[in-house]
Amino acid sequence: MHTDLPPTGHPLADTVARFAWLIPVLPLLGFLANGFLSLHAAATPGPADPSAGGNHHGDHGGHAAAHHDHGHEDGHHAERHPAAGFVSLIGPGVLLAAFGLTIAVFFAMRGAGEGMHAPFVMTLFQWMPTGSLSLDVAFQLDQLSMVMMLIITGIGTLIHLFSVGYMQDDPGYPRFFAYLNLFVFFMLILVMGASYPLMFVGWEGVGLCSYLLIGFWFSEQANADAGKKAFIMNRIGDFGMLVAMFLLFANLGTLSYEGVRAGAAELVFGGALVTAICLFLFLGATGKSAQIPLFVWLPDAMAGPTPVSALIHAATMVTAGVYMIARSATLFSLAPVAQLTVAVVGVLTAVFAATIGLKQWDIKKVLAYSTVSQLGYMFVGVGVGAYTAGVFHLMTHAFFKALLFLGSGSVIYAMHCAYHATHNYADAQDMRNMGGLKAFMPVTATLMWIATLAIAGIPPLSGFVSKDEILAAVFARTHHSTLAEATWLGIPGSVVLYGIYALGLAAALMTAVYMTRMMLYTFHGPNRTGEAERPHLAEAPWIMTGPLVVLGILSAVGGFVNLPKLFGGGMAEILHHWLEPVVGEATLQVTLGETPHLSHATEYALIGTAVAIAVIGIALAWTRCKPAALVPAAEAPAEVGLEKTLANKWYVDEAYDRAVVQPTLGVSRTVLWKGLDTGVIDGLFVNGSAYLMRGLGWVGSQLQTGRVGTYAWVLVLGAVAILSAFSFR
Amino acid sequence: MDNTFHPLFYSFHFYLFGLIGIASALLFVTRKSPVAAALWLVNVMFCLAALYLMLDAQFIGAIQVLVYAGAIMVVFLFVVMLLNLGHPSELADIRGNGGRLAAGAVGLALLAEVAVLTRARFPAQLTPKAAAALAQVDQPGGVIAPIADALFREHLLAFELTSILLLTAIAGAVVLGRKRGAADAR
Amino acid sequence: MLAESLLLSAVLFTIGVVGVLTRRNAIILFMCVELMLNAVNLTFVALSTLYGATGQVFVIMVMTVAAAEAAVGLAIIISIFRHRQTVHLDDINLLKG
């Protein structure tokens, strides 16, 4: 491999950054090693992995009592995978190494200082030289990709360590780490790629790994279905991305980020072309980042193991859409209508998902809808052109959502151990079976409360800072911005932005409510798990709780990375300055060249409102949710009315089924199968050609009468025919 | 012998033999009995022999009578007799009316086409060349000389090959015509 | 006389063709073929008045071949008759596919 220096000789060129290609390659090597171990060990006798057709252990997704009879599961805690020791070293090990290298490159980047006004593009090799388009495999190291790389490798390492404890008894242990490493590889390709096609490679790759990991325990139908659902919905979005790439290539002639950035200057501001490109890109983002209308796969994805939910469906993969829009900031800032669409869809998703989260009983489902809701916030951020705010919320969300998921993983682990010890088949994830766990798992409880307060938006935790920044950005752009001057579906832009702000506050309120509700039902009040199980409830092992502590610290102080000027003084807006070479220009374009400036009074008012909303939400939940009134899930009454609708997710899945799935199946069955396949292809072409041949053969056979007379006739007729050809020439 | 050429005499006999030939051919084709048909064919051949003589192919005319009418047709008659095909029960072999009509139509079509194709006008009178050939009679070698000359000089190879062909035909006819006897049962 | 000879030859040939198409007795069919050969001989002889003795030589060849063919063909017919006791053409259809 070789590195092609940018013409001016980038300052990073002779630093450790030239080894940056190792950062994705290390997890790839981990994947290969773990994959080999998983295959190799499958040949030797031991506890069977579902991929080898045997039984499986572990928690199930979503279903209360669908627990298989294992047969010989007693003492299964002792049946670790034979290669588990190696895998425990390799899996997290490569991640740790990648993280270390990323830190080194980060420091190199900081050292380059002013020299980092342009990205460092290192071309590895030529991938597809096709005519006028030559695609290279090239990595782009700039401030934005560095932020993403730090998040991916850092939180990835923590989650890998957590998984060592969580998945320790799973017979598919090496396979899990193989897939997890592969995922990190693809995610790094996604954020490090220097062109849209390379990002798309990563995009598809993480979709694949998501499918593999959601359906990790695929011997259960529901898990396999969830994996399929995620992949197929992603593909719908990918169609949008592809169309956008086609449009880009057709009009700009290039697909690399730097090329697009340069060529965007020729695009008409607010024109149909750039709006179309941005809308199609956003369609891809709705698929990957679970926005309306393609969000329904994310709650189902909770069927996978909890570390997967934490890494993929909270911290990294689902944020790919936000990253992509931040990358395409130059394009989006040229299309206010598209931007408003992104922001509107984002806030609607935020509100919609929050309403559903209010009435979910499965702890992971609550967190899933919370993720969808927070992703909506991120899209609001990048939608209104506050790219830094969106990425900032991406970062803080990664911290506290990963913490929440891993914490719930610890809870589920404890519940699962308890149920296994007593051979109880109740649902280990249903909050109605929990309660009062604070007494048994104090560390986990405390850490999760930190995350809950962060997500609710209590200062000075990280979530408050990022969420407030987004809302402030929305408010600031209601005047003196390209968005305010545009119209969205006939509505003036400023009105739309006010509406977004209001709905954002509503979503914040609901966020506080359902998160507090979750904490109350899980950790407080009387314990509903059962007398026999109670002695088995305990804190998770330190390999699992350790990462939680790290995440807790990050959730608490992460906000200091980008404090608003109001509070930060000299330490304010570090992230903003860091990302300025990448998105600064595009951000300013939205606000018509001037940094948005709110008066101090306005800012204090906004902050006060946000905090008040958060406090009101927590108080509402605290007073209205009565843990003592709950009964275990098996005995719980069915919901009615609005509660039932919320619990059933507003029947969105059923609506999709009726509107899209059934008609497609119907068309497929009647038109394509019966009509086209059976009728035309089978009947006309295959059978028809056979009949035709038979017919021709029959005609031919009639000529073979064996009678000389017939042959004489044919002879003479032939002679007459030939002569007539000569006669009439 | 009078070597002058009398056109009327010539034409009259030409048409005479021509018409007899056609009539005989028609009769030949429509006879039920094979013997009758064979005899009418012999008649056709005699007419043709006469025409050959008139067309200054005396040798051909002679061997037409000797070989064709005298040998080949005799063989046919031998076979007819041998197979004892004269019985009325075997004689109903002419196709029905539809077949006859169709065959007639085809025949007419063939005729028309041949007529169309031979558009070249040939002289109605004897050419000087023909007149010279007529005078050949008095030459040494007589009328045979030109044919013999062509046959044994220019077309000698064909002549020899024909003799081999005859040999093959004899062998084939003998083999095919043999009755299967005890010697073949092995 | 040349044109009339050719026309006569064509007529005889046509009669021979009609006979081949119409008759179902194998021997008579054969004789119709002989008629066709004779018609062709007439053509050759007629044209030899224009083009020289080669035409007549060809007639000799035709007659020779006709003789050979007649011999062999009749031998075949006799052979068939021995097997099938008939010379009716419709009955000789072993080649029927």
Side-chain angles (χ1 to χ4, degrees), chain A residues 701 704-709 711-714 716, chain C residues 17 20-21 29 89-90 92-97:
Chain A
S701 74
Q704 305 292 323
T705 56
R707 300 208 297 245
V708 180
Y711 297 152
W713 264 102
V714 174
V716 173
Chain C
V17 167
V20 164
L21 294 178
L29 197 84
L89 224 51
D90 286 344
I92 307 171
N93 59 356
L94 275 177
L95 280 176
K96 179 172 173 57

Side-chain angles (χ1 to χ4, degrees), chain B residues 46 49 59-74, chain C residues 63:
Chain B
F46 275 130
F59 179 64
I60 302 298
I63 65 170
Q64 169 91 348
V65 174
L66 285 173
V67 173
Y68 237 124
I72 296 177
M73 291 317 299
V74 170
Chain C
M63 276 193 204

Side-chain angles (χ1 to χ4, degrees), chain A residues 308-505:
Chain A
V308 170
S309 309
L311 182 59
I312 299 185
H313 306 126
T316 43
M317 186 184 92
V318 293
T319 58
V322 182
Y323 165 76
M324 188 213 15
I325 295 187
R327 256 293 167 230
S328 319
T330 330
L331 289 171
F332 273 88
S333 293
L334 287 171
V337 175
Q339 283 183 299
L340 284 172
T341 313
V342 171
V344 167
V345 170
V347 80
L348 286 178
T349 310
V351 172
F352 189 72
T355 56
I356 301 179
L358 286 172
K359 229 15 191 147
Q360 293 297 309
W361 292 113
D362 187 323
I363 192 174
K364 283 181 73 175
K365 287 277 168 62
V366 177
L367 294 175
Y369 284 107
S370 167
T371 305
V372 176
S373 180
Q374 295 302 308
L375 286 167
Y377 266 107
M378 292 180 222
F379 277 105
V380 170
V382 293
V384 296
Y387 302 104
T388 310
V391 174
F392 184 36
H393 196 59
L394 192 161
M395 195 171 89
T396 58
H397 175 263
F399 297 151
F400 54 69
K401 195 48 69 68
L403 172 55
L404 283 168
F405 265 113
L406 293 186
S408 72
S410 291
V411 168
I412 295 170
Y413 182 80
M415 296 282 293
H416 197 70
C417 285
Y419 279 145
H420 245 281
T422 59
H423 298 286
N424 193 337
Y425 292 135
D427 189 1
Q429 293 178 193
D430 196 314
M431 290 194 291
R432 292 172 289 198
N433 291 339
M434 301 176 189
L437 292 181
K438 187 173 68 145
F440 305 101
M441 330 172 63
V443 179
T444 311
T446 317
L447 291 170
M448 285 190 73
W449 263 114
I450 296 177
T452 307
L453 292 177
I455 196 175
I458 301 291
L461 301 172
S462 56
F464 155 73
V465 188
S466 59
K467 200 183 287 195
D468 175 68
E469 185 172 338
I470 292 180
L471 291 175
V474 173
F475 199 84
R477 282 156 180 76
T478 51
H479 299 285
H480 201 66
S481 73
T482 58
L483 300 173
E485 290 163 13
T487 43
W488 189 76
L489 296 185
I491 312 171
S494 42
V495 175
V496 175
L497 286 170
Y498 277 123
I500 292 175
Y501 179 76
L503 285 173
L505 284 181

Side-chain angles (χ1 to χ4, degrees), chain A residues 120-470:
Chain A
F120 175 52
V121 179
M122 43 192 287
T123 311
L124 294 178
F125 55 89
Q126 207 181 30
W127 179 24
M128 280 196 264
T130 58
S132 53
L133 175 66
S134 177
L135 297 175
D136 298 333
V137 169
F139 287 146
Q140 174 157 336
L141 291 178
D142 61 9
Q143 291 85 347
L144 179 59
S145 60
M146 180 48 64
V147 171
M148 298 298 297
M149 281 156 66
L150 282 170
I151 295 175
I152 296 168
T153 49
I155 300 194
T157 311
L158 292 172
I159 294 181
H160 274 70
L161 289 170
F162 183 88
S163 310
V164 170
Y166 190 80
M167 300 291 286
Q168 64 184 350
D169 294 323
D170 196 290
Y173 192 72
R175 186 166 63 98
F176 181 77
F177 275 97
Y179 289 159
L180 218 56
N181 281 347
L182 186 67
F183 168 80
V184 175
F185 165 69
F186 275 123
M187 192 71 205
L188 284 168
I189 296 281
L190 199 159
V191 300
M192 286 173 73
S195 58
Y196 283 98
L198 198 55
M199 174 169 75
F200 194 67
V201 168
W203 193 273
E204 293 291 305
V206 297
L208 167 73
C209 294
S210 172
Y211 161 78
L212 289 171
L213 284 164
I214 293 173
F216 187 70
W217 295 304
F218 54 79
S219 39
E220 194 135 330
Q221 183 67 32
N223 302 342
D225 285 345
K228 270 190 291 184
K229 186 170 176 178
F231 195 77
I232 292 175
M233 300 218 84
N234 262 232
R235 292 302 276 163
I236 301 175
D238 295 343
F239 152 75
M241 258 204 86
L242 279 171
V243 172
M245 282 202 278
F246 295 156
L247 284 173
L248 270 176
F249 179 64
N251 291 287
L252 294 179
T254 173
L255 283 172
S256 67
Y257 296 142
E258 290 302 290
V260 169
R261 215 167 148 174
E266 293 148 32
L267 291 173
V268 175
F269 177 86
L273 174 64
V274 68
T275 310
I277 293 176
C278 294
L279 285 175
F280 276 115
L281 282 176
F282 181 55
L283 180 62
T286 55
K288 188 65 76 185
S289 301
Q291 298 296 293
I292 294 174
L294 297 174
F295 67 93
V296 290
W297 62 269
L298 190 55
D300 281 39
M302 298 298 114
T306 310
V308 170
S309 309
L311 182 59
I312 299 185
H313 306 126
T316 43
M317 186 184 92
V318 293
T319 58
V322 182
Y323 165 76
M324 188 213 15
I325 295 187
R327 256 293 167 230
S328 319
T330 330
L331 289 171
F332 273 88
S333 293
L334 287 171
V337 175
Q339 283 183 299
L340 284 172
T341 313
V342 171
V344 167
V345 170
V347 80
L348 286 178
T349 310
V351 172
F352 189 72
T355 56
I356 301 179
L358 286 172
K359 229 15 191 147
Q360 293 297 309
W361 292 113
D362 187 323
I363 192 174
K364 283 181 73 175
K365 287 277 168 62
V366 177
L367 294 175
Y369 284 107
S370 167
T371 305
V372 176
S373 180
Q374 295 302 308
L375 286 167
Y377 266 107
M378 292 180 222
F379 277 105
V380 170
V382 293
V384 296
Y387 302 104
T388 310
V391 174
F392 184 36
H393 196 59
L394 192 161
M395 195 171 89
T396 58
H397 175 263
F399 297 151
F400 54 69
K401 195 48 69 68
L403 172 55
L404 283 168
F405 265 113
L406 293 186
S408 72
S410 291
V411 168
I412 295 170
Y413 182 80
M415 296 282 293
H416 197 70
C417 285
Y419 279 145
H420 245 281
T422 59
H423 298 286
N424 193 337
Y425 292 135
D427 189 1
Q429 293 178 193
D430 196 314
M431 290 194 291
R432 292 172 289 198
N433 291 339
M434 301 176 189
L437 292 181
K438 187 173 68 145
F440 305 101
M441 330 172 63
V443 179
T444 311
T446 317
L447 291 170
M448 285 190 73
W449 263 114
I450 296 177
T452 307
L453 292 177
I455 196 175
I458 301 291
L461 301 172
S462 56
F464 155 73
V465 188
S466 59
K467 200 183 287 195
D468 175 68
E469 185 172 338
I470 292 180

Side-chain angles (χ1 to χ4, degrees), chain B residues 12-99:
Chain B
F12 170 73
H13 279 91
F14 193 93
Y15 280 111
L16 178 70
F17 284 118
L19 285 168
I20 294 178
I22 291 177
S24 307
L26 285 169
L27 283 166
F28 150 65
V29 166
T30 50
R31 291 308 96 197
K32 285 206 185 73
S33 155
V35 177
L39 290 173
W40 281 115
L41 187 61
V42 170
N43 201 12
V44 172
M45 289 180 181
F46 275 130
C47 296
L48 283 178
L51 288 174
Y52 292 156
L53 286 172
M54 283 197 281
L55 286 172
D56 198 35
Q58 297 85 347
F59 179 64
I60 302 298
I63 65 170
Q64 169 91 348
V65 174
L66 285 173
V67 173
Y68 237 124
I72 296 177
M73 291 317 299
V74 170
V75 171
F76 268 106
L77 280 167
F78 273 170
V79 172
V80 170
M81 300 301 180
L82 182 67
L83 300 185
N84 215 3
L85 291 176
H87 294 235
S89 60
E90 297 153 10
L91 296 180
D93 68 332
I94 301 182
R95 294 185 193 280
N97 284 326

